[in-house]
Amino acid sequence: MNYKFKNIILVGYSKHAKNKIIPAITKLKLKIICIVSSQNIKNTTIPVLKSINNIEKINFNKEDTIIFLCTPPKVHYKQIKFLFYNKYNIYVEKPAFIREKNIDIFINKNKTIIVENFMYQHTKIYNYFLKFWKQNTNEIFKIEMNFIIPELPKNTFRDNDDYYNSYIFDIGCYPISLLSKLNLKLQKIKYEISLDKDKYKNITKILFNSKKIMYEINIGVNQSYQNNVILHYDKFKSIKFDYFFYGPDKIKKIYFSKNNKINKILKINDLNGFVEILKIKRSIWKKNQNNRLRKMRDVVYSLNKISKQYINLNNVKS
């Protein structure tokens, strides 16, 4: 299959890049022609033509090359701005931006593409969810989104004492991006925030109502792993999409329940979301870019709004 792009330049050599991005690239038989990193990458398991330590030293054919940013969100804007005005094709780890004003300069500019790497939006379980949502919206009275991890990854940029690097942005961008995909007017939502915190857990609950549907989002750190979306509908029924925000290929399950009893389980042999992202033609990304950027801006607006309430509750640095 012709994937349009043939070459990849990785900026940043993170654990996620090693464990998720590089295997997907290898599966598609694309070439990583360069890695930009301050790390020693001599022991990489893949052949790399070149390694450099500065993004401004990149000088490759732009038409068939993707620049993939696997760097902390705080440096994305500066990197994206440089690459955008040099007309490189940009794929970036989520969240692509942390301030909504930084997105405005890219809207209605026709220089190149900016793709935010939400792998979950390119999976079978996501498509099944959207279909069920559209067919049953009038019956749904509550949607619950849970994304809880056992602990923050160590030796990374993630830091709950700095909300741009906290789980509010790192995890919260998943459910908020889903709200955007459901076409909610995020700028008008009034979020109700509460914390459940002790020595072992730090969970933020986010509540709001929209068009007769109650939305409940639980994100944070606990001693267990939860990654699901649950739709409650028709008074006593629910459908649970497990491992919903999980992008790599995996056998996932959808649980159908009535009166809190599971009466059906559907197994889905799911796709690798990143592989599916790389299959999408550049022309498609470019065609819907302004719409995607506006949705990114709304998501970032909501994350900042939630974070400010989180600060007031938790005394975190901004």
Side-chain angles (χ1 to χ4, degrees), residues 65-272:
T65 301
I66 292 172
I67 310 288
F68 199 99
L69 300 180
C70 305
T71 48
K74 275 191 169 183
V75 301
H76 284 172
Y77 171 66
K78 183 179 179 181
Q79 293 175 335
I80 290 172
K81 188 176 180 181
F82 170 79
L83 294 169
F84 186 84
Y85 285 101
N86 281 280
K87 298 184 179 180
Y88 280 103
N89 303 299
I90 307 160
Y91 286 55
V92 55
E93 274 301 318
K94 50 76 206 166
F97 299 94
I98 57 175
R99 296 179 179 88
E100 61 266 27
K101 67 179 182 180
N102 290 344
I103 303 174
D104 291 338
I105 70 167
F106 303 109
I107 296 175
N108 295 324
K109 301 291 195 303
N110 198 31
K111 295 194 177 292
T112 186
I113 59 170
I114 301 172
V115 178
E116 192 170 30
N117 189 40
F118 276 115
M119 295 194 293
Y120 82 90
Q121 295 175 3
H122 303 271
T123 59
K124 291 180 182 178
I125 200 168
Y126 174 78
N127 291 330
Y128 194 108
F129 165 86
L130 284 186
K131 183 178 179 180
F132 188 91
W133 173 269
K134 291 174 182 177
Q135 292 176 347
N136 298 276
T137 301
N138 292 335
E139 300 294 325
I140 296 169
F141 61 89
K142 181 179 180 181
I143 176 170
E144 184 180 343
M145 307 180 195
N146 301 295
F147 201 159
I148 312 294
I149 60 175
E151 62 180 357
L152 283 179
K154 294 180 173 61
N155 301 318
T156 69
F157 66 86
R158 295 166 182 86
D159 178 7
N160 269 344
D161 289 332
D162 178 345
Y163 80 66
Y164 287 131
N165 290 329
S166 73
Y167 70 71
I168 297 294
F169 270 77
D170 190 47
I171 300 175
C173 64
Y174 284 91
I176 302 301
S177 69
L178 180 58
L179 298 180
S180 177
K181 284 293 185 178
L182 298 179
N183 294 318
L184 272 70
K185 295 181 179 179
L186 301 188
Q187 301 258 0
K188 296 184 177 181
I189 292 174
K190 295 182 179 179
Y191 300 102
E192 180 184 327
I193 311 295
S194 61
L195 287 181
D196 184 6
K197 185 177 180 180
D198 61 24
K199 182 179 179 181
Y200 300 104
K201 65 182 176 182
N202 186 345
I203 297 174
T204 299
K205 183 187 292 289
I206 304 165
L207 298 172
F208 68 93
N209 288 284
S210 177
K211 295 182 179 180
K212 299 181 179 180
I213 298 177
M214 164 65 76
Y215 292 79
E216 178 182 329
I217 301 171
N218 296 289
I219 55 173
V221 180
N222 203 347
Q223 292 175 293
S224 61
Y225 183 81
Q226 295 181 55
N227 182 338
N228 57 63
V229 173
I230 306 170
L231 297 177
H232 301 269
Y233 66 103
D234 193 24
K235 293 185 179 179
F236 307 109
K237 296 179 182 178
S238 68
I239 178 170
K240 177 182 177 181
F241 302 85
D242 210 16
Y243 278 84
F244 181 81
F245 297 113
Y246 187 80
D249 48 322
K250 180 180 178 62
I251 296 177
K252 300 176 184 176
K253 295 179 181 179
I254 301 175
Y255 298 87
F256 298 82
S257 299
K258 185 174 182 179
N259 295 320
N260 294 318
K261 292 183 179 180
I262 298 171
N263 52 35
K264 181 182 176 182
I265 300 175
L266 176 65
K267 291 184 179 180
I268 294 179
N269 189 7
D270 216 336
L271 306 167
N272 184 311

Side-chain angles (χ1 to χ4, degrees), residues 19-78:
N19 295 340
K20 301 293 193 303
I21 304 303
I22 290 174
I25 292 169
T26 303
K27 186 174 182 179
L28 289 177
K29 298 181 180 179
L30 302 175
K31 291 181 180 179
I32 297 179
I33 57 174
C34 180
I35 294 180
V36 183
S37 176
S38 58
Q39 296 185 47
N40 183 350
I41 60 166
K42 291 181 180 178
N43 296 324
T44 180
T45 56
I46 57 168
V48 177
L49 298 182
K50 187 176 181 181
S51 64
I52 55 178
N53 59 12
N54 189 328
I55 195 171
E56 295 185 9
K57 295 179 181 178
I58 292 175
N59 185 19
F60 291 91
N61 186 299
K62 299 174 182 179
E63 291 298 318
D64 59 359
T65 301
I66 292 172
I67 310 288
F68 199 99
L69 300 180
C70 305
T71 48
K74 275 191 169 183
V75 301
H76 284 172
Y77 171 66
K78 183 179 179 181

